[in-house]
């Protein structure tokens, strides 16, 4: 009687490979018919709708389909304020509100408020050119406001808390 030796790992792997080949040969040949997914219409050298798209193109299409163009232009005024008016002007003022085409800008001092009132036509022209003509139609510039001592629903006219200091 011949002595049987233990199976080596390479023998086990060889037997598994032969079994997989036999199972593959017994399987019917695949057809060329596509089972799942939409039919592909070839677009030629340009990218198609089902190809990966740049994020900016996808966001632009979302904005146009949802009709958010007006809101994005209003957001551009606030988000890109420094780029729209310049870093020097943006360092001394900030946009506060945009209501019915009127942009309220708060300056850090009365001198800057006066300067911005003189520059208002130039700033409006920049905003029309870069954001759109119908977003900002008027520019209202105000200076800094003093703190108010008037608090609460009931207040008394007069000097307020300063009249008790002596």
């Amino acid at each position: 009687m011949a002595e049987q030796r233990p199976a080596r790992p390479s023998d086990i792997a060889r037997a598994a490979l032969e079994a997989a080949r036999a199972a593959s040969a017994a399987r019917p040949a695949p057809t060329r018919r596509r089972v799942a997914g939409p039919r592909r219409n070839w677009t030629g050298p340009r990218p198609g709708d089902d190809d990966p798209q740049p994020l900016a193109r996808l966001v632009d299409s979302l904005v146009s389909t949802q009709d958010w163009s007006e809101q994005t232009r209003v957001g551009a005024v606030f988000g890109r304020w420094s780029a729209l008016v310049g870093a020097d002007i943006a360092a001394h003022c900030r946009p506060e509100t945009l209501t019915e085409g009127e942009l309220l800008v708060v300056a850090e001092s009365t001198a800057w408020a006066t300067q911005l009132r003189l520059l208002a036509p130039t700033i409006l022209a920049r905003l029309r050119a870069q954001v759109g003509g119908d977003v900002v139609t008027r520019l209202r510039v105000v200076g800094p406001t003093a703190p108010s001592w008037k608090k609460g629903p009931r207040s008394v006219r007069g000097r307020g808390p300063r009249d008790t200091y002596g």
Side-chain angles (χ1 to χ4, degrees), residues 109-155:
S109 66
T110 55
W112 269 102
T114 304
Q115 183 67 25
L116 289 174
R117 286 185 195 105
L118 294 173
L119 289 174
T122 307
I123 293 172
L124 279 173
R126 283 186 191 173
L127 291 174
R128 281 190 196 106
Q130 295 183 13
V131 177
D134 56 343
V135 176
V136 179
T137 56
R138 291 182 315 276
L139 190 66
R140 190 173 71 153
V141 180
V142 294
T145 57
S148 173
W149 292 98
K150 190 173 188 176
K151 293 184 174 66
R154 296 178 189 92
S155 63

Side-chain angles (χ1 to χ4, degrees), residues 72-95:
T72 56
R73 287 191 282 164
V74 169
V77 171
F78 291 96
R80 297 181 14 209
W81 178 251
S82 180
L84 292 173
V85 297
D88 295 335
I89 294 174
H92 299 285
C93 65
R94 69 182 192 287

Side-chain angles (χ1 to χ4, degrees), residues 151-166:
K151 293 184 174 66
R154 296 178 189 92
S155 63
V156 178
R157 298 179 95 176
R159 291 193 47 168
R162 291 176 296 280
D163 64 351
T164 59
Y165 294 139

Side-chain angles (χ1 to χ4, degrees), residues 17-34:
L17 178 62
E18 288 175 12
R21 284 183 179 161
S24 177
R27 198 175 309 136
T31 61
R32 304 231 346 115
R33 194 184 83 178
R34 200 172 157 156

Side-chain angles (χ1 to χ4, degrees), residues 47-115:
D49 292 336
D50 56 346
D51 288 335
Q53 302 289 321
L55 185 61
R57 186 179 303 158
L58 295 173
V59 170
D60 288 343
S61 68
L62 178 67
V63 166
S64 64
T65 57
Q66 296 293 326
D67 197 25
W68 291 340
S69 59
E70 184 69 24
Q71 289 89 346
T72 56
R73 287 191 282 164
V74 169
V77 171
F78 291 96
R80 297 181 14 209
W81 178 251
S82 180
L84 292 173
V85 297
D88 295 335
I89 294 174
H92 299 285
C93 65
R94 69 182 192 287
E96 191 73 25
T97 60
L98 179 60
T99 309
E100 297 176 3
E102 182 179 72
L103 179 65
L104 175 67
V105 177
V106 178
E108 71 177 12
S109 66
T110 55
W112 269 102
T114 304
Q115 183 67 25

